[in-house]
């Protein structure tokens, strides 16, 4: 307190004493905030279950990394730096804000541990923190109004721009920082004028500058500024606290919980219903998400926690090619729905679950069917989101709801029926599954056994449908078999006993069909007695690794090759053609979903004379080729093909050969090369094909 300047708790120039006024503001502010948060929790209480209370230590570690450590923010340099500075400023200022609030009712309050030297150091740090936060607000407003980053734009179909709301909130925070600094500055200026020991203010900080500006002002005026700044701080603080749950700033309150409860096993798809095992799925009355209340409480928390930063949509390939899907708005629309249907001052007009007559179906009201089918489940949105908002599970759940209601897109009906009857989307005969391996010419080069009671092996090569039946992709199958043979692997295939892995079927929401395919394959794999599994298809790899249980360990062929390059079993001839420039395209289900980024690159780099360049979007920012699996049968509304965008990226990087490690990528990329008019200038090759072509053999064999 400054002798000669009335303490804010004792100010009597208002209708009531300062203490009474500020106590009333505290009580009102806290009560309003508690009421608002309680109302916001109502839909979460009516939502579906979600089991997120396991592994508390792992979750805490992730809170330190992703929330406190702001791990993902630097992926966008300018916005990320701004956010880290603001966040750090808020954390540092938290105690000071609390202490300032208490001063209004208890004039000599000092935070325990912050008296004396420690308090002086803390004050200096927080002077700078307030200054930095204020400056960040100014920069953020300029970015929003002048530079207008494209990812903040709101396409007309999603409503009005969010700029005004964002700028209003930034301005409120700036006012809070100014009020806080002015309060400190007035106190120091008063002390200085009255010849009392002056509180140390950080040089060149906002409070320091304001103090210098106040020094020539009359003491009585400084007293008014002191009390006025305090009142402004109080009102702004509580206004912000209570206003935030009405918009994007709610993430300030919810983000910590959202990160704590975030999905730990990102690659494992959410079950149809938490707590319902596969064996009891037939007892589930309604599959998937049909109404808002069918979302789980955690998915609703996601809606509240989105900061509207646009990073997810900025990286979403569906959004980039003009499909009717933008993950950011999938969330914003749901959040707006929650705000509208769970109002502050009325009872909610909806009940819980899709069985409730008052709940409107989401498809047709909030989302369109095309929007939900447009997702390739590539995972780019989830990889990017700094708040760990989840998308794939929600989209798959919405698809489960559509399928449950019989809303299967026309183009998918035939492949799904074929999968049901024949175990592959092409409707081909099971007995033809091993034709690619049994062809006479190939048998002369490499003999692939079909596993059976009298024909065992250590390793199963799981081929999957596309490589087994597609004429072009069979070349990947043959190359894989030759590599396994070359490294001395005792391997075989399941042949007619192998069904489609069901990876895409599951991601298209057909859970029961998936479980049938999976159970058949698990039985066949167990019967084969193999000790490990290898596949060249990242979709099969992901299914076997994460969707299947009780099967041997699985590896992608790129991992096997990388290992055998290191052991020396695979060696390469120097490349003859020096005018080829290679680039590696990360398949989503090998890279982002399973973090296999280095092995394929190590293999390429081991080929003497191979020149490799990286595309601007690679590794965990790889751009989906257009979706594997059933996406091949789905015709989405789009302005441009994803594959075309991808081959253009390869051309921009200076490459003329795209190497991938997925048969689905190969279909899309080869097709895109033609569509982009790059035939003759650009080619695509699978990693297994390239290795088979370039590895040193005792005697060169060719098919
Ligand atoms: S998973 Fe991929 S396609 Fe689907 S919303 Fe996310 S970024 Fe877009
Ligand atoms: S979901 Fe995540 S990445 Fe997308 S806008 Fe919200 S906070 Fe940003």
């Amino acid at each position: 307190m400054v002798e000669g300047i009335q303490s804010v708790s004792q100010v009597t120039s208002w209708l009531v004493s300062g203490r009474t006024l500020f106590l009333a503001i505290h009580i009102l502010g806290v009560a309003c905030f508690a009421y608002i948060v309680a109302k916001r929790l109502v839909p979460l209480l009516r939502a579906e279950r979600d089991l997120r209370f396991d592994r508390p230590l792992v979750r805490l570690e992730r809170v330190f990394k992703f929330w406190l450590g702001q791990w993902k923010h630097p992926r966008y340099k300018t916005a990320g730096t701004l956010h880290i500075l603001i966040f750090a400023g808020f954390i540092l200022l938290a105690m000071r804000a609390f202490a300032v609030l208490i001063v209004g009712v208890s004039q000599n309050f000092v935070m325990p541990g912050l008296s004396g030297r420690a308090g002086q150091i803390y004050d200096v740090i927080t002077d700078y923190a307030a200054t930095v936060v204020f400056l960040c607000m100014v920069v953020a407003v300029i970015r929003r109004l002048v530079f207008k980053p494209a990812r903040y734009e709101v396409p007309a179909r999603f409503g009005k721009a969010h700029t005004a709301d964002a700028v209003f909130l930034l301005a409120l925070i700036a006012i809070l920082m100014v009020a806080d600094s002015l309060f400190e500055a007035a106190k120091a200026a008063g002390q200085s004028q009255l010849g009392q020991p002056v509180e140390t203010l950080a040089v060149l900080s906002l409070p320091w500058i304001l103090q210098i500006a106040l020094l020539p002002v009359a003491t009585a005026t400084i007293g008014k500024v002191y009390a006025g700044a305090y009142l402004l701080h109080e009102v702004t603080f509580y206004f912000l606290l209570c206003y935030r749950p009405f918009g994007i700033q709610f993430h300030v309150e919810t983000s910590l919980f959202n990160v704590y409860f975030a999905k730990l096993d990102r690659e494992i798809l959410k079950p149809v219903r938490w707590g319902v095992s596969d064996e009891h799925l037939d007892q589930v009355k309604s599959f998937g998400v049909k109404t808002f209340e069918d979302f789980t409480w955690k998915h609703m928390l996601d809606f509240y926690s989105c900061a509207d930063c646009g990073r997810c949509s900025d990286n979403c390939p569906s959004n980039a090619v003009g499909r009717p899907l933008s993950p950011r708005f999938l969330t914003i629309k749901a959040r707006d729905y929650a705000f509208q249907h769970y109002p502050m001052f009325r009872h909610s007009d909806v009940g819980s679950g899709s069985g409730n007559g008052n709940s409107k179906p989401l498809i047709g009201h909030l989302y369109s069917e095309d929007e939900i089918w447009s997702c390739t489940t590539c995972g780019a949105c989830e990889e990017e989101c700094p708040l760990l908002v989840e998308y794939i599970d929600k989209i798959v759940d919405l698809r489960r709801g559509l399928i449950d209601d019989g809303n299967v897109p026309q183009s998918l009906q035939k492949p799904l029926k074929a999968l049901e009857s024949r175990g592959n989307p092409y409707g081909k005969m099971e007995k033809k599954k091993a034709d690619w391996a049994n062809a006479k010419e190939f048998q002369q080069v490499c003999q692939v056994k079909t596993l059976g009671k009298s024909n065992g092996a250590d390793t199963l090569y799981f081929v999957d449908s596309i490589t087994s039946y597609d004429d072009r992709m069979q070349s990947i199958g043959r190359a894989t078999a030759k590599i396994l043979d070359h490294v001395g692997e005792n391997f075989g295939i399941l042949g007619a006993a192998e069904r489609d892995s069901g990876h895409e079927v599951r991601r298209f929401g057909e859970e029961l069909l998936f479980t049938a395919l999976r159970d058949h394959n698990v039985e066949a794999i167990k019967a084969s007695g193999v000790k490990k599994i290898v596949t060249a298809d990242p979709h099969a790899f992901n299914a076997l690794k994460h969707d299947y249980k009780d099967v041997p360990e699985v590896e992608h062929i790129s991992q096997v090759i990388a290992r055998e390059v290191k052991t020396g079993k695979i060696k390469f001839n120097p490349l003859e053609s020096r005018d080829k420039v290679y680039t590696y395209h990360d398949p989503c289900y090998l890279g982002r979903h399973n973090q296999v980024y280095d092995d394929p690159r190590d293999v390429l780099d081991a080929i003497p004379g191979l020149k490799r360049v990286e595309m601007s979007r690679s590794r965990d920012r790889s751009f989906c080729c257009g979706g594997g699996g059933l996406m091949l049968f789905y015709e989405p509304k789009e302005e441009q093909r994803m594959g075309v965008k991808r081959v253009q990226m390869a051309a921009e990087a200076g490459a003329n050969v795209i190497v991938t490690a997925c048969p689905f990528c190969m279909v899309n990329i080869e097709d895109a090369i033609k569509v982009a008019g790059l035939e003759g200038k650009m080619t695509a090759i699978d990693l297994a094909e390239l290795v088979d072509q370039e590895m040193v053999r005792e005697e060169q064999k060719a098919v």
Side-chain angles (χ1 to χ4, degrees):
M1 182 193 155
V2 190
E3 298 296 332
I5 292 184
Q6 234 178 354
S7 106
V8 287
S9 62
Q10 289 176 333
V11 173
T12 50
S13 51
W14 294 312
L15 289 176
V16 287
S17 77
R19 178 176 287 120
T20 311
L21 175 70
F22 295 126
L23 188 63
I25 292 178
H26 287 334
I27 293 171
L28 196 67
V30 172
C32 281
F33 179 67
Y35 174 82
I36 291 165
V37 170
K39 290 295 262 185
R40 287 287 181 249
L41 285 174
V42 173
L44 272 69
L45 297 173
R46 292 184 179 180
E48 277 292 322
R49 309 173 67 187
D50 207 333
L51 304 184
R52 307 270 183 155
F53 297 93
D54 58 334
R55 293 172 274 175
L57 290 180
V58 180
R59 293 183 182 280
L60 267 182
E61 193 188 318
R62 285 160 59 87
V63 165
F64 278 105
K65 180 175 174 181
F66 294 109
W67 185 78
L68 197 59
Q70 301 275 288
W71 190 258
K72 296 207 177 188
H73 278 278
R75 292 168 75 92
Y76 279 76
K77 290 207 170 49
T78 312
T81 309
L82 278 177
H83 196 276
I84 289 170
L85 290 173
I86 296 165
F87 180 81
F90 275 12
I91 296 282
L92 289 169
L93 285 164
M95 265 201 297
R96 167 151 147 176
F98 183 72
V100 170
L101 293 178
I102 303 294
V103 163
V105 289
S106 172
Q107 63 179 19
N108 291 321
F109 177 78
V110 178
M111 283 293 278
L114 287 185
S115 55
R117 189 100 187 115
Q120 283 171 3
I121 295 170
Y122 178 69
D123 283 347
V124 168
I125 292 171
T126 48
D127 283 351
Y128 284 128
T131 312
V132 168
V133 173
F134 173 76
L135 290 175
C136 286
M137 293 303 126
V138 175
V139 175
V141 168
I142 294 171
R143 280 187 84 232
R144 282 274 183 178
L145 295 178
V146 182
F147 296 103
K148 301 182 180 170
R151 72 192 154 92
Y152 297 141
E153 274 172 25
V154 178
R157 67 183 191 278
F158 294 123
K160 289 186 296 183
H162 301 166
T163 315
D165 191 34
V167 169
F168 178 61
L169 280 157
L170 294 169
L172 278 179
I173 298 169
I175 290 170
L176 189 68
M177 294 302 116
V178 170
D180 176 274
S181 301
L182 197 56
F183 179 64
E184 290 295 310
K187 188 160 63 171
Q191 287 166 333
S192 175
Q193 279 196 357
L194 296 164
Q196 297 165 7
V198 181
E199 223 169 74
T200 320
L201 296 181
V203 180
L204 291 177
S205 67
L206 192 56
W208 184 83
I209 294 167
L210 291 171
Q211 179 220 12
I212 291 175
L214 284 173
L215 278 178
V217 177
T219 310
T221 310
I222 290 179
K224 284 184 183 147
V225 171
Y226 180 62
Y230 186 81
L231 182 63
L232 180 64
H233 181 275
E234 292 287 278
V235 172
T236 313
F237 178 88
Y238 282 114
F239 181 76
L240 249 177
L241 190 70
C242 296
Y243 181 73
R244 279 201 301 244
F246 289 87
I248 57 164
Q249 282 285 329
F250 198 17
H251 79 270
V252 175
E253 276 82 22
T254 61
S255 59
L256 187 144
F257 302 100
N258 207 52
V259 171
Y260 180 84
F261 290 116
K263 192 174 177 181
L264 296 183
D265 309 306
R266 220 184 94 187
E267 58 290 340
I268 297 176
L269 215 53
K270 173 192 168 291
V272 171
R273 287 271 182 271
W274 282 105
V276 178
S277 64
D278 288 352
E279 296 76 51
H280 296 105
L281 273 184
D282 51 352
Q283 290 165 20
V284 175
K285 280 196 194 127
S286 171
F287 274 53
V289 166
K290 294 176 186 172
T291 69
F292 183 73
E293 291 70 27
D294 289 332
F295 281 120
T296 73
W297 64 263
K298 172 59 179 66
H299 287 171
M300 290 189 189
L301 188 62
D302 275 351
F303 299 144
Y304 287 166
S305 304
C306 172
D308 196 27
C309 69
R311 294 176 184 216
C312 49
S313 295
D314 199 29
N315 285 276
C316 172
S318 297
N319 187 44
V321 298
R323 290 189 188 184
L325 167 67
S326 169
R328 171 188 172 204
F329 292 100
L330 218 59
T331 290
I332 302 280
K333 284 194 283 182
R335 190 199 63 199
D336 291 349
Y337 179 97
F339 289 178
Q340 205 184 338
H341 291 268
Y342 289 89
M344 274 299 142
F345 306 109
R346 280 186 286 117
H347 280 301
S348 159
D349 52 355
V350 287
S352 55
S354 53
N356 190 292
N358 294 329
S359 302
K360 278 192 177 160
L362 291 175
I363 304 293
H365 287 97
L366 203 63
Y367 305 130
S368 72
E369 286 187 29
D370 281 341
E371 194 174 1
I372 301 309
W373 293 119
S374 285
C375 175
T376 66
T377 68
C378 73
C381 49
E382 297 189 359
E383 188 70 42
E384 211 60 48
C385 180
L387 296 168
L388 312 187
V389 168
E390 294 153 23
Y391 280 103
I392 295 175
D393 281 350
K394 290 185 196 124
I395 288 169
V396 170
D397 254 347
L398 284 157
R399 289 175 176 178
R400 286 170 176 160
L402 278 164
I403 297 262
D404 196 43
D405 285 344
N407 292 324
V408 183
Q410 182 75 30
S411 58
L412 288 178
Q413 289 176 6
K414 214 169 146 193
L416 283 171
K417 269 207 181 91
L419 277 155
E420 221 173 300
S421 57
R422 296 251 79 102
N424 70 80
Y426 310 98
K428 303 249 177 154
M429 305 285 279
E430 292 91 321
K431 65 179 182 194
K432 291 188 167 292
K433 195 135 199 181
D435 281 4
W436 65 273
N438 295 333
K440 235 188 205 156
E441 312 80 38
F442 182 64
Q443 286 274 344
Q444 286 162 10
V445 181
C446 173
Q447 290 193 350
V448 180
K449 52 183 158 185
T450 300
L451 302 177
K453 274 189 190 130
S454 55
N455 223 3
D458 296 333
T459 302
L460 165 67
Y461 169 28
F462 193 96
V463 191
D464 219 347
S465 304
I466 187 167
T467 313
S468 300
Y469 292 120
D470 185 291
D471 291 346
R472 162 67 184 89
M473 300 314 138
Q474 287 176 352
S475 150
I476 300 175
R478 291 192 193 104
T480 306
K482 282 193 273 175
I483 293 166
L484 290 173
D485 188 41
H486 177 84
V487 300
E489 201 71 63
N490 174 18
F491 77 100
I493 57 172
L494 289 176
E498 182 191 292
R499 296 281 180 277
D500 190 277
S501 67
H503 186 263
E504 316 315 312
V505 173
R506 191 168 200 213
R507 277 141 194 89
F508 264 75
E510 262 284 18
E511 191 70 13
L512 290 177
L513 177 54
F514 162 74
T515 48
L517 294 165
R518 181 199 59 194
D519 292 349
H520 176 96
N521 282 331
V522 169
E523 214 173 290
I525 293 168
K526 280 185 179 167
S528 73
V530 294
K531 298 188 195 78
K532 59 177 180 170
I533 308 173
V534 172
T535 181
D537 182 335
H539 299 258
F541 175 64
N542 194 63
L544 290 159
K545 201 165 175 201
H546 305 298
D547 293 342
Y548 285 35
K549 280 187 212 123
D550 304 326
V551 291
E553 193 195 335
V554 57
E555 277 188 311
H556 184 260
I557 189 67
S558 60
Q559 297 173 300
V560 178
I561 301 169
R563 190 175 54 246
E564 299 301 359
V565 166
K566 280 188 196 126
T567 63
K569 277 192 191 168
I570 294 181
K571 289 193 174 70
F572 295 107
N573 296 307
L575 278 194
E576 276 169 23
S577 169
R578 296 278 161 166
D579 54 358
K580 285 188 177 169
V581 181
Y582 293 76
T583 191
Y584 176 68
H585 162 76
D586 293 272
C588 304
Y589 276 98
L590 191 60
R592 222 161 9 233
H593 287 282
N594 285 291
Q595 286 82 51
V596 181
Y597 298 117
D598 292 327
D599 286 339
R601 288 177 169 80
D602 289 349
V603 172
L604 291 176
D605 294 343
I607 302 176
L610 184 142
K611 192 173 169 214
R612 182 170 72 82
V613 291
E614 281 289 0
M615 286 184 265
S616 57
R617 292 194 56 173
S618 61
R619 302 180 77 93
D620 65 359
R621 269 195 170 154
S622 179
F623 189 85
C624 180
C625 67
L630 296 181
M631 270 289 170
L632 291 182
F633 301 94
Y634 181 60
E635 288 145 21
K637 289 178 193 154
E638 58 189 4
E639 288 155 16
Q640 192 185 13
R641 287 196 203 177
M642 284 180 201
V644 171
K645 238 180 158 31
R646 192 54 170 159
V647 298
Q648 285 166 350
M649 287 179 200
E652 277 160 26
N656 49 26
V657 184
I658 302 175
V659 184
T660 186
C662 169
F664 293 105
C665 292
M666 185 57 71
V667 175
N668 284 309
I669 289 174
E670 284 195 332
D671 199 34
I673 288 173
K674 289 182 205 141
V675 177
L678 289 169
E679 247 179 324
K681 294 183 195 141
M682 175 91 71
T683 53
I685 189 165
D686 190 89
L687 186 77
E689 292 175 316
L690 182 66
V691 169
D692 172 46
Q693 199 176 290
E694 302 302 335
M695 68 184 176
V696 178
R697 293 181 165 91
E698 283 161 26
E699 48 176 310
Q700 297 286 338
K701 296 169 181 175
V703 185

